[in-house]
Amino acid sequence: MPEVIVNGQPRAADVLPHTLMVAWLRDGLGLTGTHIGCNTSQCGACNILLDGVPVKACTLLVAQAEGHEVTTIEGLAGADGQLHPMQEAFRAAHGLQCGFCTPGMVMAGIGIAMRHGPDVSAETVRHELEGNLCRCTGYQNIVAAIRAGARAMAAAGLIAETADAAL
Amino acid sequence: MQPFELIRPASVAEATAAFRGDAAFLAGGHTLIPAMKSGLRAVERLIDLGSVPGLAAIGVESDRLWIGAMARHAGVAGSPVVRSAIPGLARLAAGIGDPQVRARGTIGGSVANNDPAADYPAALLALDGIVETSRGTHAADDFFQGMFATALADGELITRIGLRLPDRFAYAKFPHPASRYALAGVAVARFADAVRVAVTGATTGVVRWQAAEAALAAGGPLPEALDHPDLAADLHADADYRAHLAGVMLRRAAAA
Ligand SMILES: Cc1cc2nc3c(=O)[nH]c(=O)nc-3n(C[C@H](O)[C@H](O)[C@H](O)COP(=O)(O)OP(=O)(O)OC[C@H]3O[C@@H](n4cnc5c(N)ncnc54)[C@H](O)[C@@H]3O)c2cc1C
Ligand code: FES
Ligand code: FES
C-alpha cells in the first residue's frame, strides 16, 4: 500500500485515487488543523509543507505525495510541546484573531523565511502572502509575526542568515 | 470529484501508451484539479507525469534555452541557468500566482492549457518558442490557437520548451488583484535580426502584436493601445480598458 510520511510517521494511504490531501489529513488521519477555507486554491488555509515547501493541500492528490514528507500544523511543535519559532512568533505578536487562517499563514510564513531569510522586509512579506487570505486581522500583526518568526528561525539555526530573494 | 483510475508511468513512452479513452495528463494539477473539483472536467484515467524522471531538466543548447515540461514555476524562477540566459523569464515565472502555486504549477501544464490570461504563452510567442512533444515539434506561432486551444493532439505530451536566446527580454503584466492572472501582459523580445512582441490577457487568446514590433524595430512611436478584433471583455475589465492597459504594459516592457 502507498505510504506518505506525515509529521515524521509513515502512514498507509488506503484511499481512492481522487482523494485530496486535505480530505485525507482531516477525515482520514484526524489532523483537523489543516483547514478548508475556499476549497478553490485561493485562500491558503489548507497550506501544508510538502518536503518542507508550502503547498495547498486542497489542490494536491494524496497520490501525488506518495513517498514524500508532509508536515501539518500539528507536526511543527517539538515532541516536548515547544512551539516552532514561527508559531511562537504568531502567539507573541498576536498574529491571529479567530485563528481560521492561522495554520496556513504559519506554513506560508515558514516558506517566506526559508526563501527570504531573517531580514525579510514587510513589503516582501505582504507580497508573498498573495496566496493567503485573512478575514479578521487586517494582516498587520501577521506581517509582524512572520518577520519576527523569520528572525527566530535564523537564531534557532533553522534557516541561513541570508537567503535568496528571487523565488 | 468524479473518481478516476490513476496511472503512474515511468517514462514518456509509458505515459503516451497509457493515454486512451477519456484521459488526461496530470502535471502540477493547479488548473486540472480545481477544474475536476468544480465538475468542469471529468476524466476516467489520469496519467501522473510526476512519476516520469527527467522531465524537469533546464539547460542551454546552442542558441536556445530548453526547459523541461515538468519544471515548476519556482524552479524556473530560481534556476541559475534561466537567470543568466533570460533573466526576464525568471522574473515572469516569479510573478505567476502565489508562492504555493509556483511550488506546484509547471511550464508544460501552463502551455498545454493556454489560458487566455496565462503568462508563459506570451513568453513563448515573443521568444520564438518551440514546443517539443512526444510526436515532434511545434513553433509557438502555430501552437497557440485561441482560448484554451493548442496544436496538441489527444495524447500528445509536451516534453520540453525551447526558447531562442534574445539580446533582451522583458515581460510586464498588470495582474488581476485577486487571481494574479494577467488583465494585460506584454512580452518584448529583441534579437539581432528581429523584435517580437506578444500580448496575453487583453485578447481572447495570446497574440503577436505586429504594430508594436514594427514600431520597436523602426524606433518609432509606440502604439497607444492594442488594436485587435478579439479584445477580451468581462466583468473585471472592458475591451477599451484592456486595450489601453496593453499599451501601458508595452511601454513598461519596452523600457525594462
Ligand atoms: C490561485 C492560482 C493562481 C494562478 N495564477 C496564475 C498566473 O498569475 N499566471 C499564470 O500563467 N497561471 C496562473 N495559474 C495557473 C498555474 O500556473 C497552473 O499551474 C498552470 O496553468 C497549469 O500548470 P499545471 O502544471 O498546474 O498543469 P495541470 O493543471 O496539471 O494541467 C493543465 C492542463 O495541461 C495538460 N498538461 C499538463 N502537462 C502536460 C504535458 N506535459 N503535455 C501535455 N499536456 C499537459 C493537462 O492534461 C491539463 O489539461 C494560477 C493557478 C492558481 C490555482
Ligand atoms: S482551501 Fe485550499 S486554498 Fe483555500
Ligand atoms: S484570524 Fe480569522 S481569518 Fe485570519
Side-chain angles (χ1 to χ4, degrees):
Chain A
M1 190 175 299
E3 261 182 13
V4 181
I5 301 155
V6 180
N7 297 333
Q9 306 282 335
R11 306 293 296 253
D14 183 16
V15 294
L16 291 170
H18 67 289
T19 308
L20 292 166
M21 180 58 75
V22 71
W24 182 56
L25 291 172
R26 291 178 57 84
D27 305 336
L29 303 182
L31 296 170
T32 53
T34 303
H35 292 164
I36 302 173
C38 63
N39 209 7
T40 59
S41 319
Q42 311 283 331
C43 76
C46 64
N47 284 350
I48 56 167
L49 304 181
L50 178 64
D51 295 330
V53 176
V55 301
K56 304 181 198 218
C58 76
T59 317
L60 182 72
L61 300 173
V62 175
Q64 291 176 290
E66 243 181 74
H68 294 268
E69 288 192 31
V70 161
T71 308
T72 69
I73 193 74
E74 292 89 346
L76 283 183
D80 57 357
Q82 193 190 348
L83 294 180
H84 184 283
M86 189 58 75
Q87 289 176 297
E88 179 55 35
F90 269 75
R91 196 193 62 77
H94 195 61
L96 60 144
Q97 287 180 24
C98 80
F100 191 84
C101 69
T102 314
M105 287 286 182
V106 169
M107 294 304 182
I110 290 172
I112 292 169
M114 290 189 311
R115 290 189 300 274
H116 298 281
D119 301 320
V120 60
S121 69
E123 191 193 351
T124 300
V125 172
R126 285 180 190 281
H127 181 69
E128 293 273 282
L129 284 179
E130 264 165 357
N132 289 77
L133 294 176
C134 174
R135 306 318 305 267
C136 304
T137 61
Y139 299 95
Q140 197 73 13
N141 287 352
I142 292 176
V143 174
I146 290 174
R147 297 184 72 201
R151 287 191 293 274
M153 281 175 70
L158 295 174
I159 55 168
E161 286 296 332
T162 56
D164 181 358
L167 291 191
Chain B
M1 201 187 317
Q2 187 176 300
F4 48 76
E5 181 190 1
L6 185 77
I7 318 277
R8 325 241 12 222
S11 66
V12 168
E14 271 184 47
T16 51
F19 197 102
R20 55 181 173 274
D22 194 358
F25 297 121
L26 175 67
H30 270 55
T31 293
L32 189 52
I33 292 176
M36 292 194 303
K37 282 168 70 178
S38 64
L40 283 171
R41 183 100 185 255
V43 299
E44 280 160 15
R45 325 188 92 203
L46 197 59
I47 303 159
D48 182 9
L49 303 181
S51 56
V52 180
L55 276 181
I58 298 178
V60 172
E61 280 168 35
S62 60
D63 65 340
R64 282 188 181 267
L65 170 66
W66 287 96
I67 304 179
M70 285 297 286
R72 315 261 178 201
H73 306 330
V76 172
S79 158
V81 177
V82 179
R83 286 198 209 174
S84 92
I86 313 181
L89 188 72
R91 283 193 287 274
L92 174 151
I96 298 176
D98 60 58
Q100 288 67 242
V101 170
R102 295 196 286 276
R104 298 296 300 166
T106 68
I107 190 170
S110 176
V111 168
N113 193 51
N114 192 19
D115 188 295
D119 300 308
Y120 271 130
L124 261 76
L125 266 193
L127 289 164
D128 201 5
I130 295 177
V131 180
E132 189 190 86
T133 74
S134 52
R135 302 198 187 168
T137 57
H138 303 272
D141 280 321
D142 307 321
F143 183 82
F144 298 110
Q145 304 184 345
M147 190 183 284
F148 298 114
T150 68
L152 286 176
D154 264 5
E156 183 172 2
L157 188 153
I158 300 175
T159 48
R160 56 180 194 158
I161 306 292
L163 301 163
R164 197 174 143 201
L165 295 177
D167 295 338
R168 265 160 68 198
F169 171 79
Y171 176 68
K173 93 161 153 174
F174 190 91
H176 183 284
S179 75
R180 322 313 300 176
Y181 276 97
L183 269 182
V186 174
V188 174
R190 297 172 206 257
F191 303 93
D193 57 353
V195 184
R196 293 172 62 103
V197 179
V199 192
T200 187
T203 48
T204 54
V206 66
V207 289
R208 294 264 300 272
W209 189 351
Q210 276 90 1
E213 292 176 353
L216 284 168
L222 296 176
E224 283 296 322
L226 176 64
D227 182 15
H228 197 278
D230 300 319
L231 286 170
D234 56 25
L235 76 167
H236 304 301
D238 64 23
D240 285 349
Y241 181 78
R242 280 190 157 90
H244 172 77
L245 206 52
V248 177
M249 293 305 113
L250 170 65
R251 278 168 180 71
R252 287 190 193 167

